[in-house]
Amino acid sequence: MMVTARTPWGWFLGSELSFGPCSHPRSLETPLLHTPYLPILTPSLGSSASSVSSRIIQGQDCLPHSQPWQAALFSEDNGFFCSGVLVHPQWVLSAAHCLQESYIVGLGLHNLDGSQEPGSRILEAHLSIQHPNYNDPSFANDLMLIKLNESVMESNTIRRIPVASQCPTPGETCLVSGWGRLKNGKQPSLLQCVNLSVASEETCRLLYDPVYHLSMFCAGGGQDGKDTCNGDSGGPIVCNRSLQGLVSLGQGECGQPGVPSVYTNLCKFTNWIQTTIQTS
C-alpha cells in the first residue's frame, strides 16, 4: 500500500517509505511517497462540489464566493500550489507541508484563470510559522500560520472563519473546498466544493497505521467516491460553520470507495493558533 501527501505532498517516512509514482501529500509541487503498509496518501487542496463527476472528486463548482475564507497560495515560479483559510484579518492557516519562503495570497477568488476578480485581493506574505511538532512523527501536526503583509477588511467576498473548538463527530457531514485535481486529472479553474462524512477514529487509525496520529481525522470514503485530491492541500473542511480541519493527505488514487482522506484536526490546536497570532 502507498501513502502520499496531497500537493505539495511527499516525504520519506523512515526506511519504509520511498518515492513512487502514485503517492504524495496533496499539494501540487512535492513528489509522491509510498509505504508497503499504507494506501497511497497525498496532501490535497480543498475543493467544492457540483454535480459534475469530473470535479474535485465527484464534487461541483462552488457557488461563487460562498467560501469567502478560502485562500489561494501562489509561488512566483510555479503559480498556484496550495490553499489556505483566512482565520484573522492578517493570518491564513494552511498545511505545514505547503511551506515556502514567501507567498502570493489570493483572497476572494472563485476563478483562478480570471484576471483580478471584483472583490478579490492579492497580497504578499513573507512570514510563515509551522507548528513546532510538524512531522514528528511523520505527517503529524500538519499546520502552519502565514502572516499577510497587511490586514484585510472583511467584505461579501472575503471573510474569516472561526476555528472549531469541538472535535469532529463520526457521521457528521462537512464541506471541503479547493482547486485540486479533478477525477479526470485536470486542475479546475473554478473553486470546487464537496460534502464528505467524518469517518470514525477506529477506521482512520486502522487504515493509516502506522502514520496515524491524534492530530488527524478522516473524512470521505463513501461509495459515491467523493474526495479531495492533489492540489487541495491546506484547504478548509468546514463543519457546523466552523473550520474543523485542513486538507492534509490521502491515497495516491483519489476517490476510492472505503478509503477516506486525512485532515489536520484543528480542535487540537486552538491554543497554539491563538497564542501564535497574539505573539507574532
Side-chain angles (χ1 to χ4, degrees), residues 61-125:
D61 296 348
C62 295
L63 184 67
H65 309 298
S66 62
Q67 314 302 311
W69 39 80
Q70 184 92 30
L73 305 185
F74 304 90
S75 65
E76 293 184 2
D77 297 332
N78 298 314
F80 173 78
F81 66 96
C82 271
S83 282
V85 192
L86 188 70
V87 294
H88 177 276
Q90 202 170 357
W91 290 90
V92 167
L93 266 176
S94 187
H97 71 259
C98 294
L99 180 70
Q100 301 272 307
E101 290 186 1
S102 63
Y103 312 82
I104 299 170
V105 181
L107 298 173
L109 294 175
H110 179 62
N111 188 345
L112 290 184
D113 290 343
S115 55
Q116 184 85 5
E117 288 187 65
S120 67
R121 293 286 308 278
I122 304 297
L123 303 102
E124 294 185 359

Side-chain angles (χ1 to χ4, degrees), residues 48 55 60-62 110-113 178-179 182 187-193:
S48 62
R55 302 303 174 85
Q60 313 178 331
D61 296 348
C62 295
H110 179 62
N111 188 345
L112 290 184
D113 290 343
W179 291 275
L182 307 178
Q187 183 186 353
S189 58
L190 302 181
L191 185 66
Q192 299 294 298
C193 286

Side-chain angles (χ1 to χ4, degrees), residues 37-213:
Y37 302 112
L38 299 179
I40 300 170
L41 307 177
T42 58
S44 51
L45 302 180
S47 54
S48 62
S50 67
S51 58
V52 181
S53 64
S54 63
R55 302 303 174 85
I56 167 178
I57 300 289
Q58 305 288 28
Q60 313 178 331
D61 296 348
C62 295
L63 184 67
H65 309 298
S66 62
Q67 314 302 311
W69 39 80
Q70 184 92 30
L73 305 185
F74 304 90
S75 65
E76 293 184 2
D77 297 332
N78 298 314
F80 173 78
F81 66 96
C82 271
S83 282
V85 192
L86 188 70
V87 294
H88 177 276
Q90 202 170 357
W91 290 90
V92 167
L93 266 176
S94 187
H97 71 259
C98 294
L99 180 70
Q100 301 272 307
E101 290 186 1
S102 63
Y103 312 82
I104 299 170
V105 181
L107 298 173
L109 294 175
H110 179 62
N111 188 345
L112 290 184
D113 290 343
S115 55
Q116 184 85 5
E117 288 187 65
S120 67
R121 293 286 308 278
I122 304 297
L123 303 102
E124 294 185 359
H126 297 94
L127 172 65
S128 53
I129 304 170
Q130 288 181 319
H131 190 275
N133 299 124
Y134 164 61
N135 223 16
D136 180 23
S138 296
F139 291 98
N141 307 302
D142 189 12
L143 74 158
M144 69 174 170
L145 278 161
I146 299 170
K147 188 174 186 179
L148 305 173
N149 285 6
E150 60 182 279
S151 296
V152 294
M153 294 287 293
E154 294 195 22
S155 66
N156 290 337
T157 56
I158 299 174
R159 277 205 318 272
R160 54 186 164 168
I161 185 172
V163 177
S165 58
Q166 300 295 317
C167 292
T169 303
E172 184 176 12
T173 298
C174 305
L175 179 73
V176 191
S177 53
W179 291 275
R181 301 292 185 194
L182 307 178
K183 190 175 181 65
N184 61 13
K186 296 182 179 180
Q187 183 186 353
S189 58
L190 302 181
L191 185 66
Q192 299 294 298
C193 286
V194 67
N195 288 312
L196 300 177
S197 179
V198 175
S200 69
E201 180 181 336
E202 292 75 16
T203 296
C204 196
R205 184 188 298 272
L206 179 64
L207 183 62
Y208 288 97
D209 180 71
V211 301
Y212 175 79
H213 187 264

